[in-house]
Amino acid sequence: MAQHGIEPHSHGLVPLQTRNERPRSTSASDFQEINNRQEIWRYLPMERLNGLDAEVMSEVSASEVAIDLAPGVTAQWIDSSAAPVGSAGLPEDRISAIAWTNASKTLLVEVAEDSETTNPTTLTLSLEGLDARAFHLFVKAGANSKATIVLDHAGTGSLAENVEILLGAGAKLDFVSIQDWDKGSAHVSTQFTRLGRDSALKHVVVSLGGDLVRVTPSAALDSPGADIQMFGVYLADSSNYFEHRPYIDHIAENCVSNVAYKGALQGAGAHTVWVGDVLIRETAVGTNSYELNRNLLLTDGSRADSVPNLEIETGKIEGAGHASASGRFDDEQLFYLMARGISESEAKRLVVRGFLHEVVQKVGIAEVEDRLIASIEQELEQVGV
Amino acid sequence: MATLEIKNLHVSVDTDQGKKQILRGVDLVIKSGETHAVMGPNGSGKSTLAYSIAGHPKYEITDGEILLDGENVLEMSVDERARAGLFLAMQYPVEVPGVSVSNFLRTAKTALDGEAPKLREWVGDLKKAMTNLRMDSDFTERNVNEGFSGGEKKRHEILQLELLKPKIAILDETDSGLDVDALKVVSEGVNRAKETTDLGVLMITHYTRILRYIKPDFVHVFVAGKIAEQGGPELAERLEAEGYDRYIKTDA
């Protein structure tokens, strides 16, 4: 009698068993059309895509990116077919491939080898108009350099974006991506990072505005001794759909990864999604990895999806852990603060600020922190707190 | 001179099995400078009394009154009660992640006084109060109650008592979980507050141990949601010797 499972056979659509199996290509036709039946798009409100899934779109022009460079940092627009484009990563989904193909030029920002600056370099991309646009940024941090780069998205627009970040050996880079779009905007950003030997990247995602914002940062840790810290802060109100999918691929030995995303949601219809993937390959001996996502729901009717995934192919690691929790205001915390004379609204502010503080303080750039705190205040005022 | 009057207080809570009556007619008057000990077996409603006075939303007042200097406390929100001069030192203070002790104390002081304390004076008062309670100076940089030991939590509660200067303080099992040394330090703090601000104290406790360090003027024995017997300090000594069995038997 034939026994089920002995012969190779098909069950039809079988989901990928490991994060590593996703196909990579710069060609949109190598990927299925987007629909909610695919895991990577399952939460996406398709009607808010504003044409970002169209195969042909125009690209962001040089005049739409304001560049403020710190000493030791240079910027130039290069042809997207030229090196180093593609050396930090390649698309794993259709919108990333579309953005890749449609951005004929790439903004290349380079930090010179051995240079050290404390002033941030800021790139402000502002759009006016909802027609879909493609953009490609490449950040190259030279060996043993130290720099901070802030990529700020503002205005009203529909943007399909690829960001590549490549760190040379011993480089230290703080990279901040801020999504502060006006109402009606849609933004899908794929951010590839590849870390050289003993380099350290702090990657910060701050999502504050936009009808649809999807940021998928990934880290290829294929050189030993690299250290990546990924932090995210988001504040979603009823007009926002924010999706963040960090992915850490531990390939080389003795790398460290730490992912921490925290979000506050308020208002009916506010929806955030966090899917954190960590893959520790057989070769990644001595890995130390942790990922965390926490959400604070300030009012009824908002929804936070949080999915941590951890795949471990070797037992020879220092540590691997994950944590995920979503909750409402803790009444006992409010009671404790109010029992000391603090008004309800002030108590709520303390709790929210305190909740986000752990991540906000990691940003380490005063201007960005101030802006975040101002946004928190503004959101809380909207809830009537 | 402040007076807290509790009259015929009936309190219930919602449980899975429906409403449960916990306090069944409590009468108590606490004046400035007086120390009252409320003692009783577990489950007699002592903590319910404490939280009902402070205004915890879990407890429903079904009958009776609470007045502070003639003002109706039951109509006040939790923060209004604190600003009126009531203070509850909690048995299980909650963690407030990301909020430093220093930020919390200054925010509370500002809320109570209606204006921010003068910085130099405040820093001095804080430092002195912490030294008195044998607390390290880096304590203020930690997040409220996060990772505090049992003893640190109780010291932190009494630190607030000394800095916020209420008229009437309710101490909910402040002695539980403390070793003798910590108990002495915490008791000294309460006694300092009594001396300097003429504080009225309602001390809720299961054991007589803390009464060696904080001398009560009145002792009330709490059984099944009401006061079963009251007297002076000698009543506490009798409880020490005999326990609560006598009341429970009578009750049954």
Side-chain angles (χ1 to χ4, degrees):
Chain A
M1 194 172 120
Q3 191 186 327
H4 180 91
I6 282 189
E7 294 297 316
H9 63 290
S10 171
H11 285 276
L13 193 73
V14 178
L16 297 177
Q17 293 305 303
T18 163
R19 184 65 170 78
N20 183 30
E21 280 176 12
R22 278 191 204 167
R24 282 167 206 203
S25 169
T26 57
S27 171
S29 58
D30 286 340
F31 299 97
Q32 273 187 61
E33 297 249 1
I34 294 168
N35 61 54
N36 293 130
R37 289 189 304 278
Q38 298 163 60
E39 194 283 325
I40 57 169
W41 305 116
R42 63 178 284 205
Y43 300 100
L44 203 75
M46 301 287 292
E47 71 285 359
R48 297 193 194 178
L49 267 177
N50 292 1
L52 290 179
D53 53 344
E55 282 200 44
V56 179
M57 61 180 70
S58 56
E59 65 184 302
V60 170
S61 68
S63 64
E64 288 164 320
V65 187
I67 301 172
D68 182 11
L69 297 172
V73 183
T74 56
Q76 56 175 317
W77 289 86
I78 61 167
D79 200 282
S80 293
S81 59
V85 179
S87 60
L90 290 172
E92 285 190 337
D93 68 57
R94 188 173 168 91
I95 293 183
S96 177
I98 289 170
W100 199 285
T101 316
N102 284 282
S104 70
K105 298 286 180 196
T106 290
L107 177 62
L108 174 64
V109 175
E110 289 180 281
V111 185
E113 273 187 25
D114 301 318
S115 70
E116 284 198 18
T117 57
T118 47
N119 293 344
T121 288
T122 49
L123 312 168
T124 309
L125 192 163
S126 28
L127 296 179
E128 286 172 30
L130 288 176
D131 55 309
R133 311 279 283 281
F135 176 61
H136 199 132
L137 170 69
F138 197 105
V139 174
K140 189 178 178 187
N144 303 311
S145 65
K146 197 178 168 203
T148 299
I149 294 175
V150 179
L151 171 63
D152 201 346
H153 303 88
T156 305
S158 306
L159 181 68
E161 178 181 61
N162 286 302
V163 174
E164 292 184 72
I165 300 170
L166 185 68
L167 271 68
K172 282 191 166 49
L173 180 70
D174 291 357
F175 180 86
V176 183
S177 178
I178 302 172
Q179 292 67 240
D180 198 2
W181 298 100
D182 293 335
K183 262 199 168 44
S185 303
H187 182 196
V188 174
S189 179
T190 309
Q191 309 199 349
F192 310 92
T193 74
R194 186 178 297 278
L195 279 71
R197 178 182 273 271
D198 300 326
S199 67
L201 173 63
K202 181 160 80 182
H203 184 275
V204 182
V205 170
V206 177
S207 296
L208 302 171
D211 285 17
L212 182 160
V213 171
R214 183 183 198 264
V215 184
T216 50
S218 61
L221 301 174
D222 55 5
S223 296
D227 179 318
I228 183 153
Q229 307 286 317
M230 276 190 183
F231 299 114
V233 189
Y234 44 96
L235 296 162
D237 63 30
S238 48
S239 67
N240 303 127
Y241 169 84
F242 294 157
E243 176 172 343
H244 302 103
R245 289 179 177 251
Y247 167 41
I248 308 280
D249 188 0
H250 277 278
I251 303 162
E253 60 273 28
N254 301 321
C255 291
V256 174
S257 68
N258 178 36
V259 179
Y261 273 63
K262 280 194 167 188
L265 294 79
Q266 60 110 345
H271 186 188
T272 66
V273 173
W274 183 89
V275 180
D277 291 340
V278 172
L279 168 61
I280 301 171
R281 302 195 194 212
E282 207 177 344
T283 47
V285 173
T287 289
N288 200 340
S289 166
Y290 194 78
E291 60 171 344
L292 167 147
N293 174 231
R294 291 200 195 290
N295 299 292
L296 182 60
L297 284 72
L298 307 185
T299 57
D300 288 334
S302 40
R303 172 178 163 175
D305 289 287
S306 180
V307 186
N309 297 311
L310 181 55
E311 288 178 67
I312 309 178
E313 295 174 353
T314 173
K316 297 173 191 160
I317 57 169
E318 290 283 310
H322 60 177
S324 156
S326 301
R328 297 165 50 74
F329 260 128
D330 183 340
D331 290 339
E332 295 301 325
Q333 287 180 357
L334 289 185
F335 174 72
Y336 186 74
L337 296 170
M338 288 174 70
R340 301 305 181 240
I342 299 168
S343 69
E344 185 174 355
S345 59
E346 181 76 13
K348 283 191 172 178
R349 271 159 208 258
L350 273 178
V351 171
V352 175
R353 270 198 244 123
F355 172 76
L356 296 175
H357 179 77
E358 183 192 348
V359 177
V360 172
Q361 68 177 359
K362 299 269 170 52
V363 174
I365 304 168
E367 299 143 49
V368 178
E369 284 180 18
D370 290 349
R371 205 164 130 192
L372 258 171
I373 289 164
S375 288
I376 296 169
E377 294 297 324
Q378 205 188 332
E379 293 277 338
L380 288 173
E381 251 161 54
Q382 279 176 26
V383 216
V385 167
Chain B
M1 183 74 189
T3 307
L4 179 69
E5 292 172 86
I6 298 160
K7 297 181 182 172
N8 191 34
L9 192 68
H10 286 70
V11 176
S12 65
V13 291
D14 277 331
T15 67
D16 294 340
Q17 289 79 40
K19 252 185 205 169
K20 189 183 172 199
Q21 190 81 34
I22 299 185
L23 299 189
R24 303 157 190 273
V26 178
D27 293 288
L28 204 55
V29 178
I30 299 145
K31 294 183 173 143
S32 291
E34 292 178 355
T35 299
H36 294 248
V38 167
M39 306 189 61
N42 291 328
S44 59
K46 305 187 300 287
S47 285
T48 298
L49 175 65
Y51 280 87
S52 301
I53 298 169
H56 194 289
K58 184 175 147 192
Y59 301 98
E60 190 193 336
I61 316 294
T62 53
D63 199 7
E65 282 183 298
I66 303 177
L67 304 171
L68 180 62
D69 296 331
E71 299 282 326
N72 186 351
V73 169
L74 296 177
E75 281 179 0
M76 300 178 193
S77 60
V78 175
D79 53 318
E80 283 170 347
R81 294 178 195 206
R83 291 199 294 272
L86 294 175
F87 180 90
L88 170 63
M90 299 193 203
Q91 188 181 357
Y92 303 110
V94 294
E95 296 182 359
V96 190
V99 178
S100 70
V101 167
S102 132
N103 184 13
F104 163 61
L105 292 175
R106 207 177 46 242
T107 306
K109 187 68 179 170
T110 304
L112 289 170
D113 292 359
E115 58 177 352
K118 289 194 180 64
L119 190 64
R120 186 184 291 256
E121 223 170 277
W122 171 248
V123 170
D125 289 351
L126 181 58
K127 201 174 165 189
K128 192 174 153 209
M130 286 176 61
T131 311
N132 283 336
L133 288 166
R134 323 260 203 291
M135 297 166 91
D136 289 337
S137 58
D138 61 2
F139 189 83
T140 54
E141 301 310 313
R142 294 170 65 184
N143 291 332
V144 172
N145 294 317
E146 208 175 60
F148 287 15
S149 68
E152 283 173 333
K153 282 183 182 166
K154 297 298 168 70
R155 282 173 211 229
H156 180 227
E157 293 295 291
I158 301 308
L159 176 68
Q160 295 168 52
L161 172 68
E162 289 202 66
L163 289 167
L164 303 179
K165 301 187 170 45
K167 294 175 185 162
I168 306 281
I170 304 140
L171 312 180
D172 186 17
E173 309 223 2
T174 294
D175 51 337
S176 70
L178 293 182
D179 61 31
V180 174
D181 292 333
L183 182 61
K184 277 185 192 166
V185 168
V186 159
S187 303
E188 282 167 19
V190 175
N191 289 328
R192 267 195 305 278
K194 283 170 62 175
E195 279 159 31
T196 54
T197 63
D198 202 28
L199 179 71
V201 176
L202 174 61
M203 197 167 28
I204 288 168
T205 181
H206 184 88
Y207 303 102
T208 53
R209 193 174 63 138
I210 193 172
L211 306 183
R212 281 177 231 152
Y213 305 101
I214 305 171
K215 295 283 177 215
D217 304 305
F218 306 93
V219 173
H220 313 268
V221 182
F222 221 65
V223 179
K226 54 187 181 188
I227 292 167
E229 189 175 5
Q230 27 198 347
E234 74 288 345
L235 182 53
E237 280 156 33
R238 200 175 154 196
L239 284 172
E240 168 99 60
E242 298 174 12
Y244 297 110
D245 285 355
R246 170 164 73 94
Y247 301 101
I248 294 163
K249 276 179 204 143
T250 320
D251 195 51

